[in-house]
Amino acid sequence: MNAYTSQSIGRPSGKPSISIPGSRQGDFILETRGLTKRFGTFTANDRLDLCIKYGEIHAILGENGAGKSTLMNMLSGLLAPDEGELLFKGESITFASPRQAMEMGIGMVHQHFMLIPALTVAENVVLGLKEGRGPWFHFRRACAEIKKISDAFGLDVDPTKRVSELSVGQQQRVEIVKTLYRGAEFIIMDEPTAVLTPPEVKDLFVVLRSLKEQGKTIVFISHKLQEVEAVCDQVTVLRAGQMVGSMQMKETTPAELARLMVGREITSLQPAPYKRKQRSLLEVQGLSVLRNQMPVLMDIKLVVKEGEILGIAGVDGNGQRELSEALMGLTDLASGEVKLCGERVKGLHPRYMTEQGVGYIPEDRHREGLMLPMSIGENLIAKQYKLSDFSRFGMLRRGAIKKAAEQAVREFDIRTPSSEHTAGQLSGGNQQKVILARELMLNPKVLIAMQPTRGMDVGASEYVHKRLLAERERGLGILLISTELEEVLSLSDRIAVLFKGRIVDMVSREEATRERIGRRMAGMMD
């Protein structure tokens, strides 16, 4: 075992970077006994009895809204339980704040990183620590400590780089370094693979195994059952705020875990054969886009026909975002043209594309998809608020908005205590359902769906997939852009592969194989 210990800036004096097994009291580093949290009349966590062993990777699974985030917020000091007891290293504890939890050795890596892009890695790591302020910040000493931690755990983090220069995967490693720098022995990782590419996921698993080997305990929250199977030792499943099972990973299967999560069997998708139609809804010819005078999309040609799902496969960062934004008029074209229902679009603009019948699910639901402080209803009518159904004489018709929101909550299975809740109060999967509901309420002809199930559990993903297939049957043309190969293969009638800004392959569902698409995604052209 690596015995690296350091007297670090802002950390409790003598806090070890590596856990010392000899200091254990019992088998469990953390236990909850009857832990309960309520929000008004809604019970988010109901008498949870959880046991997490020293030095294991413990998965917490559950549908969106099952209570995972509430539980993690209590473990990390963000929320206080209403009932029950929390024990850490055998001692009953009550956290007044996340800082107190961190001082005890509990750290959390959030799904949405808490980093300031303009600052260096070292500045981000020490930010908020007493000795890291103003003229007393010893940059070289901080860099040296961060480098030691990085080397000890195989994180490969350069403390002198600005965060804005780092990939998403590298930024996540910075978040891990932050928790280790503060002396964390128990690390909670909330949806750690949600924004990572497949190679970055593999790299993360190497890091997690290294952390485990050196005595750290990891709580791994994920919706991706294959990832849980690959890296976790123990699995606990929550459903509707209650614990419905806890078992060793080697004693269960992804199918059984999915059944526990949703309370029923998850059916495999079998899309109806595509009824080939001649009518083209969306045509793209010679589309190119520049960023900082450098080409990011080159000579894109594609057609989406009525009642067809055209899937775009590719590793994240190969032009997918630029393609979706270009088609919605959010990014200027360097060249090329776009046609809707055979008519050339002369001026690409988001409002114009919406008015012409193009729905859009953006990649980032927080920054681009929703107004988080506003209600579910206000988000649902954001593209229709000028219609007489929802406003009159410049005033919103609150009753009509509430009625539409209640109907959408029922139809799209949005899990919320009230349709008047803000979008920011919803879990990630339910936020995504609000976006899907808003776009389909417009009755579009074409839907551009960018990562439509990112961060969603198996049950919610199944719902979205079935809804997309149902819309396909009514004649909607769907451009599905996803880095999830399983999603593209299971839903698409045709598949295009995007690599370094170019479409390098286009195949029908019958021609598509995992091996062929995977090789094209990696740039292998045979």
Side-chain angles (χ1 to χ4, degrees), residues 318-371:
N318 277 274
Q320 295 96 323
R321 183 184 182 89
E322 289 80 6
L323 176 60
S324 67
E325 290 181 347
L327 294 177
M328 283 303 297
L330 294 164
T331 294
D332 292 334
L333 305 187
S335 63
E337 69 175 24
V338 177
K339 291 183 179 179
L340 287 174
C341 301
E343 296 291 327
R344 183 184 178 188
V345 178
K346 295 182 179 179
L348 281 168
H349 185 275
R351 182 180 293 277
Y352 176 81
M353 297 301 283
T354 299
E355 291 172 348
Q356 295 303 307
V358 180
Y360 179 51
I361 298 176
E363 179 181 27
D364 191 328
R365 54 178 167 260
H366 281 184
R367 294 184 180 180
E368 302 155 353
L370 295 167
M371 297 165 287

Side-chain angles (χ1 to χ4, degrees), residues 26 64 104 161 186 191 193 240 264 367 408 419 434 468 474-475:
N64 297 117
M104 291 285 292
K161 276 197 171 184
F186 183 94
E191 298 288 350
T193 66
R264 58 178 174 80
R367 294 184 180 180
S419 63
V434 172
L468 291 178
R474 77 162 181 83

Side-chain angles (χ1 to χ4, degrees), residues 182-448:
R182 287 160 168 77
E185 301 173 64
F186 183 94
I187 302 173
I188 302 166
M189 304 199 72
D190 186 12
E191 298 288 350
T193 66
V195 294
L196 301 185
T197 65
E200 287 173 333
V201 170
K202 290 182 180 179
D203 292 341
L204 174 64
F205 287 174
V206 172
V207 170
L208 294 185
R209 294 185 183 106
S210 174
L211 290 168
K212 173 188 169 182
E213 288 168 2
Q214 301 192 54
K216 303 296 182 183
T217 303
I218 311 294
V219 173
F220 186 88
I221 305 172
S222 178
H223 295 120
K224 301 178 181 179
L225 299 179
Q226 293 81 4
E227 294 179 357
V228 170
E229 183 181 31
V231 78
C232 294
D233 306 303
Q234 187 80 9
V235 186
T236 294
V237 182
L238 302 183
R239 187 168 73 237
Q242 296 182 326
M243 198 168 86
V244 296
S246 188
M247 68 287 292
Q248 291 184 18
M249 187 64 238
K250 63 184 180 183
E251 295 177 351
T252 187
T253 64
E256 172 62 14
L257 292 174
R259 188 189 65 78
L260 284 172
M261 286 171 63
V262 301
R264 58 178 174 80
E265 298 293 336
I266 297 292
T267 56
S268 58
L269 287 172
Q270 294 182 334
Y274 172 52
K275 300 173 184 177
R276 301 189 183 279
K277 300 179 180 180
Q278 296 301 314
R279 187 184 180 207
S280 297
L281 299 180
L282 175 68
E283 296 178 64
V284 178
Q285 288 291 332
L287 186 148
S288 297
V289 172
L290 302 178
R291 281 279 165 87
N292 299 321
Q293 304 303 314
M294 297 294 292
V296 289
L297 286 176
M298 292 156 279
D299 195 28
I300 300 296
K301 299 174 184 176
L302 57 85
V303 177
V304 180
K305 296 197 173 184
E306 184 179 5
E308 176 188 42
I309 298 179
L310 173 62
I312 304 291
V315 176
D316 204 11
N318 277 274
Q320 295 96 323
R321 183 184 182 89
E322 289 80 6
L323 176 60
S324 67
E325 290 181 347
L327 294 177
M328 283 303 297
L330 294 164
T331 294
D332 292 334
L333 305 187
S335 63
E337 69 175 24
V338 177
K339 291 183 179 179
L340 287 174
C341 301
E343 296 291 327
R344 183 184 178 188
V345 178
K346 295 182 179 179
L348 281 168
H349 185 275
R351 182 180 293 277
Y352 176 81
M353 297 301 283
T354 299
E355 291 172 348
Q356 295 303 307
V358 180
Y360 179 51
I361 298 176
E363 179 181 27
D364 191 328
R365 54 178 167 260
H366 281 184
R367 294 184 180 180
E368 302 155 353
L370 295 167
M371 297 165 287
L372 296 178
M374 293 189 175
S375 70
I376 294 171
E378 289 167 333
N379 274 279
L380 286 169
I381 61 99
K383 293 186 177 182
Q384 304 181 69
Y385 69 91
K386 289 187 176 182
L387 298 182
S388 59
D389 290 347
F390 301 116
S391 65
R392 185 170 295 173
F393 306 119
M395 300 292 290
L396 292 176
R397 301 177 63 187
R398 294 290 177 182
I401 293 171
K402 182 179 179 181
K403 184 177 180 180
E406 290 173 346
Q407 180 178 341
V409 164
R410 290 192 299 271
E411 182 181 349
F412 289 85
D413 191 30
I414 299 168
R415 309 287 177 87
T416 175
S418 167
S419 63
E420 296 180 337
H421 265 45
T422 67
Q425 291 175 293
L426 301 177
S427 65
N430 285 300
Q431 290 174 348
Q432 197 75 351
K433 288 182 182 179
V434 172
I435 296 172
L436 178 65
R438 180 184 64 213
E439 299 308 308
L440 293 184
M441 282 170 61
L442 297 169
N443 195 30
K445 302 170 187 173
V446 174
L447 177 66
I448 300 171

